[in-house]
Amino acid sequence: MSDTEHSHDHVDEEKRDFIYIAAGAVAAVGAGAIGWPLVTQMSMAADTKAAGSIEIDLSNIDEGSQVKSLWRGKPVFVRHRTPEEIAEAEAVDVATLPDPATDNERLMPNKAGKLDPRFLVMVGVCTHFGCVPIGEQGKVDALGEYGGWYCPCHGSHYDTAGRIRKGPAPENLVIPPYEFISDTVIKVG
Amino acid sequence: MRLTFKTALVAATALGLAAFAGVKVAEAAGGGDAKYKKQVEWGFNGFTGKYDRHAMQRGYQVYQEVCSSCHQLKFMSFRHLGDKGGPFYDKKYPNPIDNPVVKYIAKNYPVPIQDIDWDTGEDLPRDGKPVDKFPSPYPNSVAAAAANFGKAPPDLSVMAKARPDGANHIYSFLLGYDKDDNMYNKFLGTKVAMPDQLFDGKVDYEVIKVQNKDGSVKEIQPPEATREQMAKDVTEFLMWTADPKMEARKSLGLSVMIYLLILAGLLFFAYREVWRNVKH
Amino acid sequence: MSGHLSTYEPKYGVTKWLDKRLPIIRMGADFMTYPSPRNLNYWWTFGGILTLCLMVQIITGVILAMHYTANVDVAFADVQRIRRDVPFGWLIQPMHAVGAAMFFFAVYVHMFRGLYYGSYKAPREMIWILGCIIYLIMMATAFLGYTLPWGQMSFWGATVISNFFTAVPFVGDSLQQWILGGYSVDNPTLNRFFALHFLLPFVIAAVVGLHVWAMHHAGQNNPVGIEPKSKEDTLAFHPYYTVKDAFAVVVFLLIFAFFIFYYPDALGHADNYIEADPLATPAHIVPEWYFLPFYAILRAVPDKLMGLLLMVGAIAVLFILPWLDTSKVRSMRFRPVTRIWFILFLINSFILGWCGAATPSDIAIPMGEDKGLNFLWLSRISTLYYFAYFLLILPIMGMIEKPKELPESITKSVLGGASSGGAAS
């Protein structure tokens, strides 16, 4: 022991408190710092983040039919709409909709910078609780009351532009980020 | 205090010796003939070691033009080349899948990506994309073995860690071939399934273009592509593929060690304060 | 020191209410005020260090399990993915791998401390036996975990160790196949090893609870090995030993961090960076360093079953140690002759480890040209000493050795005087 008799009587309280507080504070900072990697490891890994885009060839989709592709673990619907369906979607009074959007607002311009109303691209996930709505042409009961999509889980009805018209879903079916990379091929994500 | 200090000293010395012995044993246990072992002063060794970006870029060129016709980097994707710390990292493209160099490399990789036609299910080879894994030059491991004297060329992703003192091992191996027998490797002391691959000028090193801050482009002339240079560059590249986070690890390590030293000091003073009036 | 009286007084309504129903705060408070001998040296900080090690392994292990798939086709690739793509995976994976080695390092220091200071003697036999159980489960956990990265050493380690069971008479082959879930180490093996590797650390944590409970009941041993007699002999656990343990833990972390950040592979084997291949065994197959002494004992005997029994015996003998050591004196400080035998035992353990890492036929100690003692015979001598220490030296020395005079009390020993024993540590 290097402590002398002298130190028994004389304790520098200020110095002692400083050391205690400093040691505690530095330890707390370290504990916080180690927490960060332990928490953030659960966020998306680089490979998951990178594998986030798919290409879809529109020329293979016949009028009146729809293809479903998997994008980021969710279905993407591409429907080649009939002229009647387009007309129906455009005729709606936007102001009456729960989530107002015109049909054109739900389309992306092609290579020529024009909107092609025939192809509607949407994430096929109901905005209520995430089920996949059904909407196969030719099966009338599957289209819901508005001729578009119908979610069987809790009964949400979407119209031919994928807008919510009736039921518990709060928003229109989501349009994913996509772009035309050629005249007929789109890249989603 | 005297006893405590002695204890700490003894413990530290013992640990140091143990650690040292551990490293030495691990190194010595590695295969290879010490006579033909070459030791290189690698820039990535040491506590502040870093990879040489230009050497890695050249090394990648050697890998692509020489190694990739038989070997694979199956745990790597093209995008990894553009990761922070990687050979083609560019600050402008924090997300490597947007990096044009990476895109170019993926698209022009000599081995196509084996995909299927998503309408018919038929095989459809296509150009690579940054997200794709480095493809295998063989359809399967049996074909790989059949084409290479019965032994499939090993994957190179972690090769530099799969041998003791991996970097020097690879370098010594690549330069260890007998002059008269290109299947005999003096370093390994045996015939090997891979013939000697490198000869002077085998690869035509590209000029590296670096954009200055004012927008002008500076050209960096590459070194001459001698056998030694190519072996060294490809080793640098393979060390990076085996340990791509080494730079991040070492730099965080420095902060952590400094932090722990400060904390240890503070706790030691706190300990002395607590025990000030207690003889023990 | 049983019967530590609780001094906790709940102050508030809520704490009073809780104290009547679940005295959890009282438990914590009693833990903090627990009277510890005032003379505990740094070797006693390894209990706290080991607690930290277990926590690090459980936390990093659960995290790795989130990113790992126990399937032979993807296990190796998953580890690579963790190191390359998972955020901070390059940090967490080496923490777990290096952590296993650090855990064993600390547990060996802890065990040798117990051996030196006679911490296994009455009334602390249960603390020691529970510790041996922890060590045994640790070995199982480490072995199972080492299989998971599915490298060459993982595969061949699992193959060799599981072949131990074929040495069991009559049922050996069936037993081995039952353990593996197949004819050889394969996907079913990997799956069950993963499940058990995940489970066992929590079993360890439970046994650690019992270990600490037993220690608080019987009281801590101390460097002079005599029981505290007065209040003067003890200090409250907090702040005296919390701060001392904290300092030691941080010093330990410095070494831990040094390996993680600068030599993450120094304690492992390069062959485990090669994916498992059932068609090719690596040239030198050795277990991780912490198993080397037992591996040497296994190989010391030419007979398969005998070698296995000897290895099992090497661990089993630890369980009965409290009854083998006949000395009334605990601490080796007061046992001048046995102390030398102990130091030889310590050195012998390192020699066994050295033998475990070497090729048995190689020369260990050269004696003239091309001649000398090879590792096989060195390991036989060392194995003999290992068992002799427990089965002969400790029982006999306890009866014939005349120990030094014990100090009157812990306080007396600390305050100086001739009776404080030999070298302090």
Side-chain angles (χ1 to χ4, degrees), chain B residues 4 7 15 47 74-76 79-80 158 161-163 241 245 249-250 253-254 264 274-275 279-280, chain C residues 38 42 76 80 84-85 90 105 235 240-241 247 250 255 259 261-262 265 270 273-275 414 424-425:
Chain B
T4 311
T7 312
L15 272 167
F47 296 120
K74 67 174 169 182
F75 304 116
M76 307 270 301
R79 68 185 160 80
H80 283 125
V158 280
K161 280 193 173 265
R163 299 289 180 274
T241 65
K245 306 290 185 183
R249 205 180 62 231
K250 284 181 179 172
L254 186 66
V274 168
W275 285 76
K279 212 156 189 236
H280 61 289
Chain C
R38 63 184 288 174
Y42 274 106
F76 191 85
Q80 286 299 317
R84 290 167 200 275
D85 286 339
W90 54 269
F105 165 72
L235 295 167
Y240 293 98
Y241 287 109
F247 170 63
V250 172
I255 302 163
F259 276 108
F261 290 107
Y262 298 111
D265 299 311
Y273 280 102
I274 305 170
E275 197 166 357
V414 168
S425 33

Side-chain angles (χ1 to χ4, degrees), chain B residues 18-38:
Chain B
F20 182 71
V23 173
K24 285 287 142 201
V25 166
E27 273 175 12
D33 187 337
K35 203 164 58 172
Y36 298 101
K37 177 96 175 264
K38 295 174 170 37

Side-chain angles (χ1 to χ4, degrees), chain C residues 149-194:
Chain C
W150 206 243
Q152 274 289 63
M153 280 293 170
S154 304
F155 181 86
W156 292 101
T159 299
V160 170
I161 306 277
S162 60
N163 263 299
F164 288 179
F165 296 98
T166 60
V168 177
F170 309 117
V171 294
D173 288 343
S174 321
L175 182 64
Q176 188 215 19
Q177 288 179 4
W178 174 77
I179 288 164
L180 298 182
Y183 297 110
S184 59
V185 177
D186 208 335
N187 203 49
T189 320
L190 182 61
N191 255 302
R192 62 189 60 188
F193 278 19
F194 179 52

Side-chain angles (χ1 to χ4, degrees), chain C residues 63-79:
Chain C
I63 287 171
L64 291 175
M66 293 184 199
H67 304 285
Y68 172 82
T69 314
N71 181 294
V72 294
D73 293 328
V74 293
F76 191 85
D78 269 358
V79 177

Side-chain angles (χ1 to χ4, degrees), chain B residues 5 16 57 83 109-110 134 171 178 198 226-227 236 255 280:
Chain B
F5 176 69
Q57 292 179 5
D83 271 349
Y109 196 71
F134 277 88
Y171 182 73
D178 193 285
L198 300 174
T226 59
R227 291 180 81 220
E236 183 104 16
S255 325
H280 61 289

Side-chain angles (χ1 to χ4, degrees), chain A residues 6 16 25 30 33 51 83 100 115-116 121 164 181 189:
Chain A
H6 179 70
R16 193 184 61 189
L115 296 174
D116 183 349
V121 181
I164 181 66
I181 55 173

Side-chain angles (χ1 to χ4, degrees), chain C residues 60-381:
Chain C
T60 55
V62 168
I63 287 171
L64 291 175
M66 293 184 199
H67 304 285
Y68 172 82
T69 314
N71 181 294
V72 294
D73 293 328
V74 293
F76 191 85
D78 269 358
V79 177
Q80 286 299 317
R81 180 179 172 271
I82 289 170
R83 297 164 66 116
R84 290 167 200 275
D85 286 339
V86 170
F88 287 102
W90 54 269
L91 174 63
I92 294 165
Q93 192 271 337
M95 274 170 85
H96 196 72
V98 174
M102 296 303 289
F103 202 166
F104 273 96
F105 165 72
V107 93
Y108 283 131
V109 174
H110 195 61
M111 287 165 75
F112 277 114
R113 188 271 286 161
L115 285 173
Y116 184 80
Y117 293 108
S119 301
Y120 47 83
K121 288 190 195 178
R124 299 189 177 82
E125 298 94 325
M126 276 315 292
I127 310 178
W128 176 261
I129 289 171
L130 287 164
C132 289
I133 292 172
I134 293 169
Y135 175 57
L136 207 58
I137 310 175
M138 267 177 73
M139 293 207 286
T141 311
F143 161 68
L144 295 167
Y146 195 57
T147 312
L148 305 185
W150 206 243
Q152 274 289 63
M153 280 293 170
S154 304
F155 181 86
W156 292 101
T159 299
V160 170
I161 306 277
S162 60
N163 263 299
F164 288 179
F165 296 98
T166 60
V168 177
F170 309 117
V171 294
D173 288 343
S174 321
L175 182 64
Q176 188 215 19
Q177 288 179 4
W178 174 77
I179 288 164
L180 298 182
Y183 297 110
S184 59
V185 177
D186 208 335
N187 203 49
T189 320
L190 182 61
N191 255 302
R192 62 189 60 188
F193 278 19
F194 179 52
L196 292 171
H197 180 71
F198 202 105
L199 168 73
L200 289 185
F202 298 98
V203 178
I204 292 177
V207 184
V208 165
L210 296 178
H211 186 67
V212 172
W213 182 21
M215 184 195 81
H216 275 192
H217 188 73
Q220 284 153 289
N221 187 29
N222 64 78
V224 292
I226 55 176
E227 299 295 334
K229 292 187 180 98
S230 64
K231 241 187 138 183
E232 228 193 345
D233 286 346
T234 62
L235 295 167
F237 181 67
H238 177 74
Y240 293 98
Y241 287 109
T242 43
V243 71
K244 190 169 183 171
D245 281 2
F247 170 63
V249 159
V250 172
V251 172
F252 182 81
L253 283 177
L254 265 166
I255 302 163
F256 196 164
F258 177 78
F259 276 108
I260 293 173
F261 290 107
Y262 298 111
Y263 290 100
D265 299 311
L267 301 167
H269 201 289
D271 278 327
N272 226 26
Y273 280 102
I274 305 170
E275 197 166 357
D277 178 2
L279 295 176
T281 311
H284 296 285
I285 124 157
V286 286
E288 291 289 86
W289 66 266
Y290 38 81
F291 290 144
L292 289 175
F294 297 106
Y295 192 58
I297 292 175
L298 173 85
R299 293 195 304 189
V301 187
D303 184 80
K304 191 171 168 180
L305 180 60
M306 277 308 291
L308 183 65
L309 285 178
L310 215 56
M311 193 184 74
V312 173
I315 297 161
V317 75
L318 296 174
F319 281 83
I320 53 166
L321 170 65
W323 295 277
L324 291 174
D325 186 353
T326 51
S327 173
K328 292 274 175 283
V329 176
R330 291 200 187 98
S331 174
M332 293 283 180
R333 279 188 189 178
F334 306 103
R335 303 181 64 187
V337 184
T338 317
R339 200 166 152 219
I340 295 165
W341 291 114
F342 171 84
I343 291 165
L344 286 176
F345 177 76
L346 182 65
I347 295 167
N348 187 62
S349 304
F350 282 104
I351 293 175
L352 277 174
W354 185 36
C355 290
T359 308
S361 57
D362 284 356
I363 300 293
I365 302 163
M367 290 180 283
E369 251 177 79
D370 291 339
K371 272 191 283 187
L373 187 65
N374 67 17
F375 280 101
L376 179 64
W377 279 99
L378 184 62
S379 64
R380 286 177 179 169
I381 296 166

